Amino acid sequence: MANAIIEFKSVTKQYDNDPPVLDDVSFEIERGKFYTLLGPSGCGKTTILRLIAGFTEASDGEIYFNNKITNHVPANKRQVNTVFQDYALFPHLNVFENVAFGLRIKKMKNAEIEQKVKEALSFVNLEGYENREIREMSGGQRQRVAIARAIVNEPEVILLDEPLSALDLKLRTEMQYELRELQRRLGITFIFVTHDQEEALAMSDEIFVINKGKIQQSGTPTDIYDEPINRFVADFIGESNIVTGKMVQDQLVEMVGKRFECVDGGFQSNEPVEIVIRPEDLEITTVERGKLQVKVDSQLFRGVHYEISSYDQDGNEWLVHSTKKAVVGEEIGLYFDPEAIHVMRFNETEEEFDKRLEAYTDGSGHGK
């Protein structure tokens, strides 16, 4: 990729005889985008960050930075800065000196340091805080100091290792907007690590969903939410109703003993598949109009919608997000459009998934 700033080629990271933390991982990072590495604890996302930063070395494979192999380049020689989960600020230094720390190590002149620090603090809306002690700062302000310290060195890439996890919900949401806007203004590459799927969907240009040392799927938030490649991705990104069934033929799937029109294709006839329908795509209606008939089991009010748990006669749970209130214990119908059905092939890789999507059309450019 001509615009790639970072590239991993078949990178593996293993400690002693333990299972690999990263297992033959390959990907490219484009310049100037906001990327998120998303996955559960222990999946390998922080290891990717550490490999990019130079804090650890790959067991196998090559890591490129601006088309040059960087496997053995020390951390202090890389055009990368990291914002850690605990911010790693120096409590004995004030805001100015925290931000200036890296510039002083470079033996930059005082006048240049002062100009650069003021510019960095202005970027993160901390003008006038130069002499403030770190202990006097709020969590959100400390995070801004950490980001200012990262950007003052003018890196090509900023790595963010779960920097919002210590903040309360309201401040966390505010900082999501601020970080995204900051990345746009700076125009440099951000690589953000989180296990919070809502955070990833809200902030990213592209997401890498990682599990057990492998990238399960990569793409835009919309692509990954609407077209999950497997059960793990569908379950991890948002809430999902997932049932098994079979693909009768292109655009016709069978589940819960019934056949439904869909927009998927490229499967074998009567191939076993898994079917995903998102809770917000299910409409509560009458039993007669419903494509599914279910009994309401429980209901929670979530502020913007009701979260309704219901079961069909085969015992499958159907989660519904609706602005309509249901009655616990009543029989209702669930209606959905063919576009709401997403069909997943068992054990399909992302490469196979992409090839199938390219190969399948319905003759009019439609189809998934």
Side-chain angles (χ1 to χ4, degrees):
M1 187 186 292
N3 202 31
I5 188 169
I6 294 169
E7 185 177 2
F8 274 42
K9 286 188 176 179
S10 300
V11 173
T12 294
K13 179 62 182 176
Q14 188 169 14
Y15 295 97
D16 302 323
N17 294 318
D18 293 338
V21 182
L22 284 183
D23 188 4
D24 194 26
V25 168
S26 299
F27 61 83
E28 292 181 341
I29 298 284
E30 283 187 60
R31 193 179 306 276
K33 285 188 173 183
F34 196 118
Y35 287 85
T36 297
L37 308 179
L38 174 67
S41 297
C43 70
K45 56 189 186 295
T46 297
T47 300
I48 291 176
L49 225 58
R50 290 176 58 80
L51 287 165
I52 294 171
F55 299 146
T56 190
E57 285 194 16
S59 307
D60 199 10
E62 291 86 42
I63 300 171
Y64 293 81
F65 196 101
N66 284 331
N67 298 315
K68 295 177 182 176
I69 292 182
T70 60
N71 289 49
H72 306 299
V73 175
N76 64 343
K77 300 290 186 184
R78 302 190 183 201
Q79 284 292 305
V80 169
N81 270 80
T82 306
V83 178
F84 297 97
Q85 187 172 352
D86 60 0
Y87 313 141
L89 299 173
F90 302 112
H92 62 288
L93 299 179
N94 63 18
V95 169
F96 184 95
E97 291 302 327
N98 262 282
V99 177
F101 184 79
L103 303 179
R104 295 204 187 281
I105 287 177
K106 293 178 181 176
K107 296 185 166 46
M108 207 173 270
K109 292 180 181 178
N110 284 339
E112 195 173 355
I113 289 174
E114 186 165 347
Q115 180 189 348
K116 285 184 174 294
V117 170
K118 284 190 173 180
E119 284 176 1
L121 289 174
S122 175
F123 248 117
V124 297
N125 298 319
L126 283 178
E127 305 100 319
Y129 285 80
E130 289 85 352
N131 297 319
R132 187 75 63 91
E133 298 296 320
I134 293 299
R135 65 176 179 273
E136 297 171 349
M137 309 287 280
S138 68
Q141 289 170 333
R142 289 182 190 186
Q143 190 201 55
R144 290 194 189 100
V145 175
I147 292 167
R149 186 176 63 182
I151 66 175
V152 79
N153 291 300
E154 299 177 7
E156 292 193 60
V157 177
I158 290 183
L159 309 174
L160 302 111
D161 190 5
E162 303 212 38
L164 307 183
S165 60
L167 306 178
D168 64 57
L169 182 61
K170 187 172 185 296
L171 183 56
R172 186 170 183 153
T173 304
E174 288 174 7
M175 291 306 299
Q176 287 173 13
Y177 285 107
E178 287 195 24
L179 268 182
R180 190 67 180 99
E181 185 55 34
L182 179 65
Q183 187 272 331
R184 287 193 177 113
R185 279 190 283 144
L186 288 170
I188 62 178
T189 307
F190 275 34
I191 304 175
F192 183 88
V193 163
T194 185
H195 60 270
D196 186 317
Q197 29 119 342
E198 289 184 8
E199 204 161 77
L201 291 170
M203 299 173 71
S204 314
D205 290 315
E206 291 202 32
I207 300 172
F208 293 160
V209 184
I210 306 167
N211 189 38
K212 296 180 179 176
K214 288 185 176 291
I215 294 175
Q216 300 290 310
Q217 187 171 0
S218 61
T220 67
T222 305
D223 287 343
I224 287 177
Y225 188 84
D226 290 342
E227 302 281 343
I229 194 170
N230 57 30
R231 178 180 280 264
F232 174 81
V233 176
D235 230 9
F236 198 78
I237 302 281
E239 293 181 282
S240 302
N241 297 295
I242 306 176
V243 294
T244 56
K246 67 179 179 181
M247 200 68 186
V248 180
Q249 61 188 44
D250 284 352
Q251 302 178 357
L252 187 66
V253 69
E254 184 176 299
M255 62 177 175
V256 297
K258 298 179 181 180
R259 292 184 173 187
F260 301 94
E261 289 182 13
C262 64
V263 294
D264 290 273
F267 297 86
Q268 297 171 13
S269 294
N270 295 317
E271 179 180 349
V273 292
E274 291 185 293
I275 298 110
V276 180
I277 302 179
R278 296 290 188 181
E280 64 272 19
D281 290 332
L282 292 171
E283 176 194 342
I284 293 177
T285 186
T286 61
V287 172
E288 294 74 27
R289 181 173 175 264
K291 292 184 176 182
L292 294 172
Q293 288 71 40
V294 296
K295 186 175 183 179
V296 177
D297 183 66
S298 64
Q299 178 171 250
L300 294 171
F301 181 56
R302 294 294 189 187
V304 293
H305 64 256
Y306 291 96
E307 185 176 282
I308 300 157
S309 176
S310 61
Y311 289 85
D312 63 28
Q313 61 182 14
D314 296 326
N316 299 300
E317 182 181 13
W318 294 93
L319 190 66
V320 184
H321 290 171
S322 176
T323 54
K324 290 182 182 178
K325 190 174 183 179
V327 177
V328 173
E330 78 172 351
E331 299 272 348
I332 59 172
L334 298 179
Y335 182 85
F336 49 89
D337 293 321
E339 290 81 8
I341 297 174
H342 173 62
V343 183
M344 302 183 298
R345 175 172 269 159
F346 284 96
N347 303 316
E348 188 169 44
T349 66
E350 187 169 27
E351 188 178 359
E352 291 167 343
F353 177 76
D354 289 339
K355 284 180 181 176
R356 178 166 60 81
L357 293 198
E358 288 171 15
Y360 170 69
T361 62
D362 63 6
S364 61
H366 298 124
K368 295 183 182 178

